[in-house]
Amino acid sequence: MTKPSAPADAKSVAKPSGSALTLVLLSTVAFAMKGLLAKYVYATGMTVDGLLLLRFLIAMPFFWIGVYLFGKHRPGERTMKPVDILWGALYGGLFFAAALFDFTAVSVIDVTVSRIVLFTFPAIVLILECLHKWRLPPLRQFVCFAVTYVGLVLVLAPNGIGAVSDQLWLGASLAFASALTYACYLYFGQRMISVIGSMHFAAMVNTMAGVSMIIYELIVTKPLNLNVDGVLWTAGISIFCTVIPFFLLFEGIRRIGATQAALISLSGPAMTFFAAWLLLGEVLTTAQALGFAIVIVGVASIKNGVTLAGLGRLLARPFFSATGRRGLGDVNATDTDGEPATGASGKGA
């Protein structure tokens, strides 16, 4: 009597893995448009501070509405406690810093270049995982790290280091600072996602990030230059490039962990590159395009074989279930190369 139900059970547990990867991919598409739309906001005369302040304030109520409407269907291990607010303040501060660095970088350099630099955050997540678990990464990962950053050098300095302008160095440094703070927030926050639930975590982190932004603005008192067109563009960023993708991303992390989620983001820079070329007319030189390809392959190869087949499998995974290969428990237990995954099981924080 138990044999007929086995295929159905296997099929039912395989589906969440595919759906989780799809959630992360959809969030990547939305996040990829964020920097592009920011350029339109800056074109209206609004400043970085004005965009960020409005973005957090507009997004904040939508996050809590989402918690009220759907939070009970995405429960964590327990209800929220006062101590969670303190941890939320920490993670919210990290996210605020990442957003500030990111949007400032976009205001200084091209969207495409800033996205490629920011795209190195999956490598940083894996480095944090190695440091947190007190183990050295395999030799293959060291090689992939080196390859990734060689590609990054080609993107930033196609004509040599000496030819890089001060403005590009500033923008690249800000983008890398964003990648570093975002990686820390993503990796160490994943345990809290499983504890209080993905939707509660997203709402609390963005609320605390908004509070951090208000405090920051009270201290620096920079001009905001608010205007109608800028507010409308910012509202679009807040809803379609912040609220919706956040819920998708954190629900994906809750199911598969930050490491796997970070790897799916490899498609983000390609989406930004195409959109920036189509809408803003940004074009990479031949050397930069080569560096862009090297970065993509390097990050993809950190946890997957250095083959086009491995890259294709990673890109295709969100669209196909793992039926016949492994169950949900195995997906959460191992990464693509058989190493322990950094999932929402509690070992990530």
Side-chain angles (χ1 to χ4, degrees):
M1 295 296 291
T2 57
K3 287 184 179 180
S5 61
D9 293 341
K11 189 174 182 178
S12 64
V13 297
K15 285 183 178 179
S17 174
S19 62
L21 292 169
T22 302
L23 292 176
V24 176
L25 182 64
L26 290 174
S27 72
T28 300
V29 173
F31 283 134
M33 299 301 295
K34 180 180 59 179
L36 183 72
L37 295 181
K39 286 289 190 181
Y40 287 95
V41 175
Y42 301 146
T44 68
M46 272 182 59
T47 63
V48 174
D49 290 49
L51 187 157
L52 279 178
L53 183 61
L54 272 183
R55 178 195 179 210
F56 287 126
L57 292 179
I58 293 174
M60 200 180 299
F62 285 99
F63 276 111
W64 289 109
I65 291 173
V67 169
Y68 176 77
L69 295 177
F70 308 110
K72 61 182 178 181
H73 302 298
R74 296 291 184 271
E77 297 174 2
R78 59 167 173 77
T79 57
M80 288 181 60
K81 296 181 179 180
V83 69
D84 295 328
I85 298 177
L86 297 178
W87 285 109
L90 173 62
Y91 297 132
L94 283 173
F95 177 68
F96 156 72
L100 181 63
F101 291 139
D102 180 22
F103 280 96
T104 305
V106 170
S107 71
V108 175
I109 58 177
D110 287 347
V111 176
T112 305
V113 175
S114 70
R115 294 307 92 184
I116 296 173
V117 177
L118 181 62
F119 175 63
T120 59
F121 84 87
I124 300 174
V125 168
L126 291 170
I127 292 173
L128 291 173
E129 181 183 7
C130 292
L131 293 174
H132 188 223
K133 295 182 178 179
W134 290 93
R135 64 174 176 82
L136 290 174
L139 177 61
R140 178 174 62 80
Q141 288 188 356
F142 272 121
V143 173
C144 292
F145 291 147
V147 168
T148 298
Y149 286 99
V150 166
L152 192 59
V153 170
L154 283 175
V155 171
L156 297 176
N159 299 317
I161 299 296
V164 179
S165 65
D166 292 340
Q167 183 177 11
L168 182 55
W169 277 124
L170 173 61
S173 299
L174 289 168
F176 185 78
S178 179
L180 178 61
T181 50
Y182 183 71
C184 292
Y185 142 79
L186 189 66
Y187 178 75
F188 292 107
Q190 63 181 324
R191 171 55 183 162
M192 194 172 183
I193 296 174
S194 65
V195 171
I196 66 173
S198 58
M199 301 194 76
H200 289 83
F201 180 82
M204 182 169 62
V205 163
N206 275 270
T207 299
M208 292 303 177
V211 172
S212 299
M213 181 65 211
I214 293 172
I215 295 173
Y216 170 80
E217 187 59 33
L218 290 175
I219 295 174
V220 300
T221 61
K222 291 183 179 179
L224 304 179
N225 296 346
L226 302 180
N227 58 78
V228 175
D229 290 340
V231 170
L232 292 176
W233 280 113
T234 303
I237 294 176
S238 302
I239 297 172
F240 298 107
C241 299
T242 303
V243 177
I244 295 176
F246 255 90
F247 284 142
L248 296 176
L249 175 63
F250 289 132
E251 179 61 18
I253 291 175
R254 186 183 70 86
R255 299 186 189 188
I256 62 174
T259 302
Q260 286 280 56
L263 290 171
I264 298 302
S265 67
L266 69 89
S267 57
M271 298 173 188
T272 302
F273 173 49
F274 176 76
W277 167 77
L278 184 66
L279 300 176
L280 299 179
E282 294 184 3
V283 179
L284 297 178
T285 65
T286 301
Q288 286 179 314
L290 176 61
F292 170 77
I294 291 174
V295 170
I296 293 288
V297 174
V299 173
S301 302
I302 289 173
K303 279 290 185 180
N304 298 270
V306 194
T307 64
L308 292 177
L311 181 59
R313 283 195 299 271
L314 181 63
L315 290 172
R317 283 181 65 182
F319 304 103
F320 299 96
S321 68
T323 305
R325 295 178 58 193
R326 61 174 74 174
L328 178 61
D330 295 330
V331 171
N332 287 336
T334 58
D335 278 333
T336 53
D337 58 0
E339 296 178 358
T342 311
S345 59
K347 294 185 179 180

